Amino acid sequence: MFPVGGSYSFERLADLQADAGAIGFYDTGIVPGLAQSADYARAVFTACDGIWWPSSAAEVQRRLDFRLEQQRRVLEAPEPKDIALVLTETALDQVVGSPEVLRGQLEHLLGLGARDDVTVQVVPRSVPNNPVLGEGLITLDFGAAAPRIAFKGSHAPATYYDHEEDTTPMFRAMDRLRELASSPEESVVLLSEKLRGVQ
């Protein structure tokens, strides 16, 4: 178990994601980082400015640039990865930045879901017994190349785990989230409905 904070946290995570063959990324109340549009990510970092780091427009831009490069390294990797993006329905209703930003984010999610290497699923708010409420979860599988790794906490300073006794239940939790979530096809319908409802 390794607590990591500050810039090292997301830099270390980005390197691990680039190396992983399969990635599970879940968040509650916010769109997972790998699935964020540029405008949405900027709005997220702007909201955090002066909270998780000293207020700095340059730091917001640095983190945005890093987030977009992180996405490029994963989504445009020479060997396609198996990427599962799971988010709660509350994230689809939470305005981040502005309704226009939310609209663009919903369109971005629909585009990601159309890819062969990405699965987008939404956990409806009506689904009971979500075992991972209130925190993010990221699972990284490297196949035979390295032990599996999991992260808890994907927004503020995070902790990553690389011991099997820790990662096994976290991978089970990701599997459970995917079972609770709507199917990819049902999630497309829900995303489309949310998009039509954005004022």
Side-chain angles (χ1 to χ4, degrees), residues 75-195:
L75 297 171
E76 299 177 22
E79 301 241 348
K81 302 176 185 294
D82 179 7
I83 302 170
L85 300 170
V86 185
L87 63 155
T88 57
E89 184 179 354
T90 55
L92 307 180
D93 297 319
Q94 179 64 52
V95 175
V96 175
S98 69
E100 290 74 22
V101 170
L102 178 58
R103 184 179 300 112
Q105 178 60 66
L106 292 169
E107 292 171 346
H108 187 65
L109 284 167
L110 286 166
L112 286 173
R115 294 171 54 123
D116 292 335
D117 58 339
V118 178
T119 301
V120 176
Q121 291 180 263
V122 179
V123 181
R125 62 168 51 85
S126 60
V127 169
N129 303 321
N130 181 341
V132 198
L133 283 175
E135 61 183 340
L137 178 62
I138 302 171
T139 57
L140 304 173
D141 193 326
F142 305 89
R148 301 188 302 180
I149 290 176
F151 272 74
K152 287 180 68 176
S154 54
H155 190 51
T159 300
Y160 82 88
Y161 301 79
D162 62 353
H163 295 297
E164 187 174 349
E165 61 267 29
D166 297 316
T167 59
T168 295
M170 295 167 78
F171 273 77
R172 279 202 304 262
M174 182 62 73
D175 290 340
R176 181 60 176 151
L177 286 166
R178 298 189 69 181
E179 292 172 356
L180 291 173
S182 298
S183 70
E185 295 76 16
E186 292 168 335
S187 296
V188 166
V189 173
L190 180 57
L191 286 165
S192 299
E193 290 175 352
K194 296 290 186 181
L195 180 59

Side-chain angles (χ1 to χ4, degrees), residues 6-7 10 45 49 52-65:
S7 61
F10 63 84
F45 290 134
D49 189 41
W52 300 114
W53 57 85
S55 183
S56 166
E59 180 65 12
V60 169
Q61 186 62 49
R62 185 179 80 86
R63 287 177 179 255
L64 175 61
D65 291 343

